[in-house]
Structure formats: structure tokens, C-alpha cells
Amino acid sequence: MDIKPFHIRRRQQFLTEELYEKTRANQFDLIRGGERNIALSDSAQESASVHHFLFLEPLWIWLLDYTAGVPIAELAPRVAGLVDAFEKWNEVDQLYQQEAAKMFPEYGPYAYRGAPDFPILSDYIDTLQLLSIAIVLRDRHSVERIIHVLRSHRGEDGLFETLISAYVDDEQEIETCVLGEPFETLLQAYYTDDNADLSREAVEQYLKKWYPAMKYHPRWYDGHLHTSKDGSSAYYGYWAFEAAAVVFLLDLDDRVINHMVYPKDLVAYGKQLRAEGRYTSLGDAATPRTGRCEGGQPCPFAGWWFTPAQADSRRHFAQGEVMPDFKGSWGATIWQFDAEQGEA
């Protein structure tokens, strides 16, 4: 297969091949450090913070790979692994909330509250990005899992409610967003009396406002302007995936939308899936996680894998980590997801 040069296949011009490789390697170093920190956590609060970190770092690797031009068909199956990490963060955060309720009874008993805090910009946009990616990729099971984590957030935010309206039985119409602008501009795409041109104009106005509004995101704003001594940066790509989800859900004609932060090919991929009646996943999937991955390809989801091509090959891979390809008499290296997870 003819592989295009990096500067042709990348999806944003700020990312060079060297920056991509060094940033990606640094992300996996950070994840390995975070995994070691789990055992060192001495409080539920600290453990929740580590698991939040271990959700975000793979999410940003996914964004980085998308920005680098990795085919969407390779990226789509990895979303479920991101949701695994999102759920794990939420699970550990509940333990912290329960501990806090015991320590400070004057604030009332523990009541379930999903881990993301929507009034915090980073929590809000990181969560909406994950949700929006799953929506556009028709990963229904992942969408339902995210909604379940955020069941405590129902009735609070108009944009969240419109994005999930096709996935719930109790649709709620709210005309405001927790953080106000620019998100209420995007929300207006739903309040145009079915005028597709006005809806598209609302999306285009949102895209113009999006990057300036991200100024206070603590991790990646202006990341392309700052490179560390090791050659990595906090630039993973600037993408308004929530705008893509709105265009996808309203089935708007986006041929005239050409803003840099609009992931047009992701929307085209999702629309093609819809036209062909295909899904990345359907809802209510209760089957255990299984999988296979060829050597030399990125790991589709984190866990313990093994291959018959190498003795004692069983090891843990992070999502997106390249699976080794053992050259030898065995033939193709096929990694298999171990049904028994955890250290042997």
C-alpha cells in the first residue's frame, strides 16, 4: 500500500512528524508513570486524581493520532477503551466522594454524582469530546456507557441534552449551557425551526469562537507554541468534535464548512456508516471484551495480550501502543486478548 508522506496525511499543519513521534512516546511514558502511581496512592482522593489522569492521557493520544492522519477505521475501535478509562475514573471517584461524605457529614450524605464537573471548562470539553466522537462514529454502546456515568448531570446542560436526545427515552429541552458561550451558540443550531442554513450558520459561528474560548483549558491551549526539552509538546490537535456531532445528528450539509478545528472527514466517515447501516458498536453489549491485533499495529484497547508467535509473550499493553511483530518461522504475529486479565 502506498503510504502518503506525513505532511500530506496529517490533519492539521502544526504537527510535524518528529513532534508527533516524540509527543506520542512521551504520552506513553506518562501513562506508565501514572499506572505506577496507582499503587502509591495513599488516599481515595489521590487515587481518583491518578485515574482521571489515566483517562485523559489515552484520550489525548487518540486526538494526536487523529491529527497525525491515522485512518479513522483504525481509530474507531479504540473509543471503547477510552470509555473503559472514563468509567474507571468515575468508579474510583465515587469512593472518594463516599470518603468525603464520611469526613464532612455536615454537607450531607453521599449521593451519586458523576466524576466530571461541568462548571470546569476542561472537564466539560474533555467529556463532550469523548461523547461526540462516540456519537459520530456510531459507537452506540460507548455513548450509552457515557450517558450512564453522567446520569446525575441530566437536566443541567442544554448541549449535553441535545447530543444525547436520540439515545434516551426522557428527552429534555434546555436552552442554556452550564458554561454559557460559546456553547449556547452551538446549541442554537437546534432552534432554527428546521432551517438547515441557519443551523449551519450557528455551527460556523461556534467554530469561529471555539479556540479563543479554550484559553483556560489547563493542558493543551497554545500547546503548538511550546515544546519541551525532549521535543514533545502538549499539542494533540485542536478539534471541535461537539460541532461535528451536531452536524452529524442534524444531517447538515457541511460542504461549505472549512474551519481548521472542524473534523470534516470524521463526519463524512460517520455519515457513510449511517448510509450503509453500519455501527462501530450497537447498544446493550454485554459480551466480554475479546480481540486480536496484528503485529506492528496499535493496540485497540488496554489489557493483557499474548501471541503464539513468541514463548512467554503475555504482557500488558496500553491502548494505542504498537504491538511487536516477531519475525521468524511462525509466520504472521497475531496478538490475542487474554480472557483472564490481570497479572498471572
Side-chain angles (χ1 to χ4, degrees):
M1 183 177 64
D2 183 27
I3 300 177
K4 296 178 181 178
F6 186 86
H7 73 280
I8 298 297
R9 67 178 187 268
R10 67 184 177 183
R11 293 182 171 99
Q12 282 182 354
Q13 70 271 28
F14 301 127
L15 190 64
T16 65
E17 189 166 13
E18 181 181 12
L19 181 61
Y20 168 60
E21 292 174 351
K22 291 185 175 181
T23 298
R24 200 172 193 276
N26 182 64
Q27 290 299 115
F28 282 111
D29 286 343
L30 291 172
I31 289 172
R32 284 187 282 269
E35 290 171 341
R36 289 192 295 270
N37 286 338
I38 292 175
L40 301 176
S41 300
D42 56 8
S43 70
Q45 182 179 16
E46 188 174 337
S47 183
S49 178
V50 171
H51 281 88
H52 186 194
F53 175 87
L54 290 173
F55 154 61
L56 291 174
E57 300 304 322
L59 173 64
W60 289 328
I61 290 175
W62 195 99
L63 266 62
L64 180 67
D65 285 348
Y66 175 76
T67 304
V70 172
I72 297 171
E74 293 181 19
L75 293 169
R78 290 166 48 186
V79 174
L82 301 179
V83 181
D84 288 344
F86 182 70
E87 287 181 326
K88 185 62 179 179
W89 166 39
N90 182 64
E91 176 187 326
V92 177
D93 192 74
Q94 298 313 306
L95 299 177
Y96 163 54
Q97 292 182 40
Q98 292 166 18
E99 182 178 276
K102 292 178 181 178
M103 292 178 63
F104 304 102
E106 62 270 24
Y107 292 105
Y110 163 78
Y112 178 83
R113 180 71 184 174
D117 191 352
F118 274 7
I120 298 175
L121 174 64
S122 54
D123 272 18
Y124 183 77
I125 197 66
D126 296 339
T127 303
L128 285 195
Q129 285 192 324
L130 177 65
L131 173 64
S132 298
I133 291 167
I135 287 171
V136 177
L137 292 177
R138 286 170 62 83
D139 187 348
R140 189 175 184 94
H141 184 48
S142 288
V143 172
E144 291 176 351
R145 293 165 64 195
I146 295 167
I147 293 172
H148 183 68
V149 168
L150 298 174
R151 60 192 182 275
S152 55
H153 294 54
R154 296 295 312 279
E156 298 178 358
D157 184 83
L159 184 54
F160 172 61
E161 291 295 335
T162 56
L163 290 175
I164 69 170
S165 60
Y167 302 88
V168 296
D169 296 325
D170 57 338
E171 180 180 348
Q172 300 183 39
E173 189 172 300
I174 301 172
E175 298 184 16
T176 59
C177 296
V178 169
L179 293 176
E181 289 295 341
F183 306 103
E184 288 175 1
T185 293
L186 182 59
L187 182 59
Q188 288 309 304
Y190 281 84
Y191 296 96
T192 62
D193 295 324
D194 296 323
N195 187 315
D197 290 336
L198 291 179
S199 293
R200 187 175 58 250
E201 287 176 11
V203 172
E204 291 180 294
Q205 286 299 314
Y206 175 74
L207 293 171
K208 292 177 182 177
K209 296 177 179 180
W210 185 85
Y211 189 72
M214 297 298 114
K215 182 177 182 179
Y216 296 106
H217 193 290
R219 178 62 177 259
W220 48 252
Y221 182 81
D222 272 358
H224 68 292
L225 300 178
H226 308 285
T227 303
S228 301
K229 291 181 179 179
D230 64 4
S232 66
S233 81
Y235 169 67
Y236 315 110
Y238 305 130
W239 300 106
F241 290 111
E242 61 282 3
V246 168
V247 170
F248 175 77
L249 291 169
L250 293 177
D251 199 19
L252 299 177
D253 183 347
D254 65 355
R255 285 177 292 180
V256 299
I257 301 178
N258 293 303
H259 199 284
M260 185 190 77
V261 304
Y262 178 67
K264 180 177 284 191
D265 66 337
L266 190 79
V267 177
Y269 183 90
K271 287 184 175 182
Q272 185 67 27
L273 289 179
R274 183 163 59 196
E276 297 173 359
R278 295 189 294 124
Y279 294 82
T280 294
S281 81
L282 288 170
D284 301 320
T287 56
R289 176 67 60 83
T290 61
R292 64 191 296 279
C293 183
E294 295 182 5
Q297 297 301 312
C299 179
F301 40 81
W304 291 87
W305 296 72
F306 69 94
T307 176
Q310 174 95 340
D312 299 321
S313 61
R314 187 179 184 274
R315 55 162 288 195
H316 187 276
F317 289 93
Q319 185 189 37
E321 187 174 354
V322 175
M323 313 288 272
D325 187 4
F326 300 113
K327 306 294 184 183
S329 59
W330 181 271
T333 301
I334 304 297
W335 288 89
Q336 300 173 32
F337 190 72
D338 196 340
E340 298 294 331
Q341 289 295 294
E343 294 190 32

